[in-house]
Amino acid sequence: MRHVLNRAGLGIAVAVAWAGLMAGLAGCAGEGGFGLDIGGKGRSPGDTIRVTPEDGEKGVPPDTPLEVRVPGGRLERVRVRKVEDAQPSDVPGSISGDGLRWRPAKGARLTLAAKYTVDAVALDGHGRRSARHTTFTTAVPEHRFIGYFKPENRSTVGSGMIVSFGFNRAIENRAAVERAIRVTSRPPVEVVGHWFGKERLDFRPREYWKPGTRVTVDLRLRDVEAAPGVYGIQHKSVEFTVGRSQVSLVDAEAHTMEVRRDGEVLAKLPITAGAPKTTTYNGRMVVTELFDVTRMNGATVGFKKKDGKGEYDIKDVPHAMRLTESGTFLHGNYWVDSSTFGSANVSHGCVGLRDVKGGSPESPAGWFFDRTLIGDVVEVVNSRDRKVAPDNGLGGWNMEWKEWQAGSALR
């Protein structure tokens, strides 16, 4: 199996997610009763890789013990990384001699007002892999606010990338905060912000970015008052480059995905989409994470047996590409008959491509994964579902330009 790498720059790409496994057929799901919060919060039953702090924990003090451990087998690799920052960096550490525990190096310390990811892969006594991906954020000084942002500084992304900020506190003075964030590009285009509630602000142009565009995000939030007595602490600039345009059209009715690069057709691949009772969203979605291998566990979203374990628990789903925050993925599938692809929809909302156990670069899933960037667009048509919500992942391309502009606090 190839090394497990997250091409979003977040290190070893593993995730605690979920996928459906029904009557021997599997997939994953969108919202509306089939939602997914990748990794869940805390632990799901049956987790073999234990991470401290817990997944999704907020306000973690910098001196909190940081540890990854397994009760048996051994840890194969662990990476802890500070992300969504002008200078992403790894936390140095090592795996113990017995393979049961990872701890940071002596003197290593977490940073205030930062977001961290923990990515780990473990092997059991039979050599079977299990993966886990968690995130946590450290404490922000009292009366201060910070914006965590995508994409990573100095990254190369697809033409559908949307600049997205998530704030640690509710923003009351949205105009002041939006005015303090400037998104510019070369060549220049109009870029407008849109608020989704009081804690999220996204920026995009009218149309997809042109290949080769260089985008600069200037954050001048230091001392900006976002709410009474709450001030910003960030003053920095980040940049990213648009590598090329890749838009893939999934036809759920025809069971196909047409991959277009800079307008030219690269391939037409057979797929399986959401089954009649767990359909796939229609609309334009953007790839936000790439995982060579990911765990998909139904227990994280309430699909449990009487004993509390997940109705399905696939610990080594290959070639997974996240499309929505609620859990829609485009991923490799090795557990259904190859005749399913191109002929039937059997998943719980995800789009599946044929693959093999362990993942193969020669499979349709491996081929597509190796040609995908964070920021690439996947559009689904002819599914018997509603259009994906614009705040579900980077779904803002599903809004008309006037509607998008209306969501700015500066208009």
Side-chain angles (χ1 to χ4, degrees):
M1 183 175 178
R2 291 179 291 161
H3 290 295
V4 182
L5 298 174
N6 182 328
R7 305 232 224 103
L10 304 186
I12 301 167
V14 291
V16 182
W18 73 278
L21 180 59
M22 180 175 290
L25 303 177
C28 51
E31 308 177 299
F34 305 101
L36 164 68
D37 181 4
I38 185 169
K41 299 301 175 190
R43 288 199 308 269
S44 63
D47 277 342
T48 56
I49 302 174
R50 308 294 175 88
V51 179
T52 304
E54 292 280 1
D55 185 31
E57 193 167 343
K58 299 180 180 179
V60 174
D63 58 354
T64 295
L66 177 60
E67 183 181 68
V68 181
R69 65 189 188 277
V70 289
R74 66 181 176 87
L75 288 166
E76 184 178 54
R77 55 185 81 101
V78 175
R79 190 177 192 184
V80 180
R81 186 168 174 80
K82 182 173 71 171
V83 298
E84 299 187 16
D85 187 77
Q87 297 296 331
S89 59
D90 290 342
V91 176
S94 60
I95 297 173
S96 59
D98 59 11
L100 297 178
R101 184 174 285 104
W102 178 95
R103 284 177 175 164
K106 186 176 181 179
R109 182 180 174 86
L110 299 176
T111 304
L112 281 170
K115 183 175 182 178
Y116 288 86
T117 61
V118 180
D119 293 292
V121 178
L123 296 174
D124 67 13
H126 301 284
R128 294 173 298 202
R129 279 182 172 82
S130 181
R132 191 155 196 227
H133 169 86
T134 68
T135 66
F136 64 90
T137 55
T138 53
V140 178
E142 189 177 6
H143 306 309
R144 294 289 184 171
F145 79 94
I146 187 172
Y148 305 103
F149 55 85
K150 297 180 178 67
E152 295 284 4
N153 187 31
R154 289 180 281 194
S155 59
T156 298
V157 301
S159 61
M161 191 70 217
I162 290 175
V163 179
S164 183
F165 284 84
F167 299 100
N168 70 305
R169 303 179 189 275
I171 306 300
E172 299 296 337
N173 190 352
R174 286 183 281 182
V177 170
E178 185 177 342
R179 192 177 294 112
I181 300 174
R182 187 165 178 252
V183 182
T184 57
S185 67
R186 302 187 302 275
V189 294
E190 182 185 14
V191 182
V192 175
H194 184 100
W195 287 89
F196 295 105
K198 294 184 177 182
E199 297 181 7
R200 176 174 167 181
L201 172 62
D202 286 7
F203 291 87
R204 52 158 273 211
R206 179 191 293 264
E207 306 291 343
Y208 299 144
W209 303 99
K210 290 183 178 180
T213 299
R214 296 182 65 87
V215 182
T216 300
V217 183
D218 291 310
L219 288 81
R220 299 295 180 259
L221 294 173
R222 184 179 298 164
D223 297 329
V224 171
E225 189 173 23
V230 177
Y231 297 90
I233 59 176
Q234 291 166 301
H235 188 90
K236 63 184 69 174
S237 294
V238 299
E239 293 186 348
F240 63 90
T241 301
V242 180
R244 78 289 187 278
S245 170
Q246 182 167 295
V247 179
S248 300
L249 184 68
V250 173
D251 189 324
E253 189 173 56
H255 317 294
T256 60
M257 181 173 72
E258 183 180 83
V259 184
R260 284 184 175 266
R261 172 81 59 82
D262 296 324
E264 299 293 327
V265 177
L266 292 185
K268 196 168 187 176
L269 304 174
I271 60 96
T272 181
K277 292 185 178 180
T278 52
T279 48
T280 304
Y281 286 128
N282 286 295
R284 292 185 282 179
M285 293 167 259
V286 174
V287 176
T288 56
E289 292 180 296
L290 292 161
F291 300 102
D292 273 6
V293 60
T294 179
R295 179 184 176 191
M296 295 187 169
N297 182 1
T300 62
V301 288
F303 284 83
K304 300 178 182 179
K305 300 176 183 178
K306 291 182 179 180
D307 60 5
K309 294 182 178 180
E311 294 179 6
Y312 28 80
D313 189 357
I314 307 169
K315 297 182 179 181
D316 61 346
V317 178
H319 296 132
M321 294 151 271
R322 177 189 277 279
L323 300 180
T324 70
E325 211 41 50
S326 65
T328 308
F329 276 76
L330 197 162
H331 63 76
N333 183 321
Y334 64 80
W335 50 89
V336 300
D337 189 273
S338 60
S339 63
T340 303
F341 304 98
S343 64
N345 289 331
V346 299
S347 84
H348 275 66
C350 285
V351 177
L353 290 167
R354 182 173 58 80
D355 212 333
V356 299
K357 189 174 177 64
S360 168
E362 307 302 322
S363 69
W367 179 91
F368 184 71
F369 186 89
D370 288 341
R371 288 161 178 79
T372 297
L373 291 174
I374 300 299
D376 282 349
V377 178
V378 176
E379 182 174 4
V380 177
V381 297
N382 296 326
S383 176
R384 296 180 180 178
D385 204 331
R386 63 189 182 280
K387 184 179 291 186
V388 63
D391 62 346
N392 190 355
L394 300 181
W397 297 111
N398 294 289
M399 298 182 72
E400 295 295 334
W401 184 235
K402 287 185 178 180
E403 185 182 4
W404 182 266
Q405 289 176 307
S408 169
L410 303 179
R411 299 276 165 160

